[in-house]
Amino acid sequence: MDDLRDLYQQLILDHNRNPQNFRDMQNATATANGHNPLCGDEIKLFLNVENDQILDISFKGSGCAISKASASIMTTLIKGKTVAETESLFARFHTMITTGEIIGDIGKLAVLAGVYKFPSRVKCASLSWHTMNNALHGKENLTTTE
Ligand code: ZN
């Protein structure tokens, strides 16, 4: 379990105690709620998307260190990105946390690379991403795949 302790330590130091973009958003163009019943993680995600670009992103909620740190890191990485760039990053992040394989530059998300070794934690790490993806696609038809 030492690996898990290391994982937590890094995450707690970096983001759990001081999460980035942890706030409401008055001018959100899309929101979504996420819930991970296995762990009890809850998140509300806010997006401000204009012309296919994510101008602002924030979140609220409560959860374990991994879910909170993952959400915090996600917001810092995708703010300013296009929807297509965000989806590409999500796909690579998902591959990483389920297989351990890192494809291309994933920035600070690398801190979560060890999650794949703990299947019960994968949902904690991916909750914010799935919620963000739901917010993106639940409103205004912003799908840019295909
Ligand atoms: Zn959790």
Side-chain angles (χ1 to χ4, degrees), residues 106-127:
I106 51 150
K108 287 180 193 160
L109 288 174
V111 77
L112 289 160
V115 167
Y116 81 98
K117 289 183 241 171
F118 308 96
S120 64
R121 291 292 169 192
V122 169
K123 281 191 160 65
C124 299
S126 65
L127 178 67

Side-chain angles (χ1 to χ4, degrees), residues 12 22 60 80 82-83 90 93-95 108 116 125 135 138 145-146:
I12 288 166
F22 189 73
K60 296 282 284 180
T82 66
V83 172
F90 180 27
F93 173 68
H94 200 262
T95 297
K108 287 180 193 160
Y116 81 98
T145 48
E146 280 113 35

Side-chain angles (χ1 to χ4, degrees), residues 8 36 38-41 63-67 120-121 123-125:
Y8 269 107
N36 172 18
L38 286 177
C39 178
D41 308 317
C64 67
I66 289 178
S67 70
S120 64
R121 291 292 169 192
K123 281 191 160 65
C124 299

